[in-house]
Amino acid sequence: MGQGRDRTALRVGRTAGALGAVIAAVAVMAAGCSVRTDDPRSGSPSTTASASSSASPSGSPGVSRAPAPAPSIIDKPPTTAPVAEPELRTELLAMLVQDQAVRTGVAPPGDARTAGELAGDWDETDRRNNARMAEILDEHGWPGWRLVGSDGAFAAWVLVQHADLDVPLQERGLTLMTTAVEQGDADPSDHAYLVDRVRVAKGEPQAYGTQWGADATGKPEPRTPIEDEAQVDVRRAKVGLGTIDAYLEELASME
């Protein structure tokens, strides 16, 4: 769950559409993931679960979370919208395919690697993707919706989110993505996950409670404490996320 070198896949079903084999390969490997599981557009349980003001079943004992409104709807462009850099979009989606292959153990079409070989390629794939993402950020800033489309921007976010071997890259990506969100060019719900990813890497409290592990008994626990946990579901709703309890229910359903 959440932060760490989890051997799980990222749900990428929302990258459907325009790029033929590349996107088809992503869809083949679509599965649940610790990084992101409560996209309101995916039909996950978090879209319908009601907020609770009772003491939370996980997180800080005795903390009652304030009821939250329905998650905000993120108005992002369809994958069919024209983009400024279609070749970069294609490249990002191809990088996402490789990111997913090493995490799922499922090779894309035309790739003969076994699950064991894919697992062995994990760190090298991440290092290669990290190096290329650093170049992309140098050249373009954050690859936002207008530059590479909603699916290309999603791929860029996944790649930075998974750059645990290069926390400075994650921090840099977060700074650039923050500006893109402010300019209406990136998904604030994805941004929330990167905020927490970087905070956890630095040992700081989470803002949105997206990064979870388990205690010695197997009970879910946040990887770092949740800042002002009583208001966390309210913060999550503002960026388009469902409640923490719904998020944890979905994580549990994928085990």
Side-chain angles (χ1 to χ4, degrees), residues 141-221:
W142 185 257
W145 291 339
R146 289 184 282 273
L147 191 74
V148 294
S150 56
D151 49 1
F154 175 77
W157 164 74
V158 173
L159 294 164
V160 173
Q161 184 82 354
H162 283 171
D164 296 319
L165 297 175
D166 191 347
V167 174
L169 175 64
Q170 291 179 319
E171 292 181 289
R172 183 176 170 213
L174 176 59
T175 298
L176 294 170
M177 191 179 188
T178 298
T179 300
V181 168
E182 292 170 350
Q183 296 173 345
D185 198 31
D187 190 331
S189 58
D190 289 345
H191 176 261
Y193 278 75
L194 188 53
V195 168
D196 281 355
R197 192 81 162 194
V198 169
R199 287 191 176 200
V200 169
K202 296 166 69 176
E204 299 174 354
Q206 303 181 52
Y208 300 97
T210 63
Q211 306 296 297
W212 289 74
D215 64 16
T217 68
K219 179 182 177 181
E221 65 176 2

Side-chain angles (χ1 to χ4, degrees), residues 84-174:
E85 294 285 347
E87 292 184 1
L88 178 59
R89 176 192 189 188
T90 300
E91 180 183 7
L92 287 166
L93 289 167
M95 291 166 68
L96 176 59
V97 169
Q98 295 303 313
D99 170 277
Q100 291 296 284
V102 298
R103 286 168 167 79
T104 61
V106 179
D111 187 335
R113 286 177 294 174
T114 65
E117 289 170 336
L118 287 164
D121 288 343
W122 186 317
D123 284 353
E124 179 56 33
T125 297
D126 281 0
R127 290 189 182 95
R128 184 170 60 249
N129 284 344
N130 293 351
R132 179 57 183 140
M133 282 306 304
E135 294 174 346
I136 290 170
L137 297 181
D138 280 344
E139 183 175 357
H140 299 284
W142 185 257
W145 291 339
R146 289 184 282 273
L147 191 74
V148 294
S150 56
D151 49 1
F154 175 77
W157 164 74
V158 173
L159 294 164
V160 173
Q161 184 82 354
H162 283 171
D164 296 319
L165 297 175
D166 191 347
V167 174
L169 175 64
Q170 291 179 319
E171 292 181 289
R172 183 176 170 213
L174 176 59

